[in-house]
Amino acid sequence: MGRTSRAEAARHREEVVAVTSRLLRERGTAGMSVQDLMGAAGLTHGGFYKHFSSKDELLGIAATTAFGELLALLDQFSDDLPDRSEARSALLRHYLSPEHRDTPGTGCANTALAADAARASADSPLRTSYAVGLQETVKRMTDLAEAPGRDGTEARRRALVDLATMVGALTLARATGQTPLSEEILQTAQEALSSPASDRRD
């Protein structure tokens, strides 16, 4: 294979992974065929196995890509706002917003992929990617939860409460669509996590 052909093959692979990462977050795994994924990338399904050994492998890679986008976003909040309290507040505003609710294809992998990861077999690439991505998310969230007088164990507990509340609220908000209840869920969760009582030292 010539250099141009290799570059083109690599580009096609990246396109398939990117499309799958978006569709996986939008639709989940149900009814997602190889033909659908290749077609969405503008390619024929006959070339799929030149790039991936199975659809399960592709789903695991796509999940890793989705988590990579999230982790980059968390790093951006930390870099742009060195004050951890400000960075955490900015993250809460972004995460628990109507805009995030309405764009699952580019949104948080923790929320979008949780149900599919839970249904997947324990040794599946998707479940494995989800577990690794969740652990990395918790690490980033723990950094944001650090505060004077709070040790590492307390910061991790704060991060787990933050993440669980955020994911739960976003899930319920998406399930109720663009309704007053959906807006209420997002606002209430943000207020609860932003209140002084929620950030107290345990």
Side-chain angles (χ1 to χ4, degrees), residues 25 70 95 100 103-104 106-113 163 167 170 174:
R25 282 175 279 178
L70 170 65
Y95 199 101
H100 188 201
T103 55
T106 56
C108 176
N110 290 288
T111 299
L113 307 184
L163 184 59
V167 169
L170 186 61
R174 284 179 175 166

Side-chain angles (χ1 to χ4, degrees), residues 13-140:
R13 188 179 192 277
E14 290 175 2
E15 289 169 351
V16 174
V17 170
V19 165
T20 303
S21 179
R22 175 176 56 81
L23 292 179
L24 182 59
R25 282 175 279 178
E26 285 180 354
R27 305 177 187 175
T29 59
M32 186 184 287
S33 69
V34 167
Q35 186 170 355
D36 292 336
L37 297 173
M38 294 296 282
L43 303 169
T44 61
H45 70 279
F48 178 83
Y49 292 101
K50 294 178 182 177
H51 304 289
F52 311 99
S53 63
S54 66
K55 189 177 85 168
D56 284 344
E57 181 195 19
L58 171 57
L59 293 178
I61 294 169
T64 298
T65 297
F67 272 105
E69 293 174 12
L70 170 65
L71 298 175
L73 179 66
L74 294 175
D75 289 341
Q76 183 180 334
F77 278 112
S78 296
D79 293 342
D80 292 348
L81 297 166
D83 182 279
R84 289 184 173 88
S85 179
E86 290 183 14
R88 177 176 174 270
S89 295
L91 172 63
L92 292 175
R93 289 193 300 272
H94 166 80
Y95 199 101
L96 297 168
S97 67
E99 293 76 19
H100 188 201
R101 175 197 63 195
D102 297 340
T103 55
T106 56
C108 176
N110 290 288
T111 299
L113 307 184
D116 285 309
R119 296 187 189 102
S121 62
D123 61 348
S124 72
L126 176 59
R127 175 78 73 90
T128 300
S129 293
Y130 191 92
V132 172
L134 177 59
Q135 287 283 6
E136 290 300 319
T137 304
V138 172
K139 288 180 184 178
R140 302 301 203 285

Side-chain angles (χ1 to χ4, degrees), residues 141-190:
M141 297 285 290
T142 299
D143 289 341
L144 293 180
E146 290 179 355
R150 177 180 291 156
D151 65 23
T153 300
E154 291 169 340
R156 183 175 173 86
R157 288 183 62 186
R158 173 73 269 158
L160 289 171
V161 170
D162 281 354
L163 184 59
T165 303
M166 291 159 61
V167 169
L170 186 61
T171 300
L172 294 175
R174 284 179 175 166
T176 48
Q178 298 176 346
T179 64
L181 176 58
S182 179
E183 301 284 343
E184 182 182 10
I185 290 167
L186 293 174
Q187 182 176 350
T188 302
Q190 185 174 158

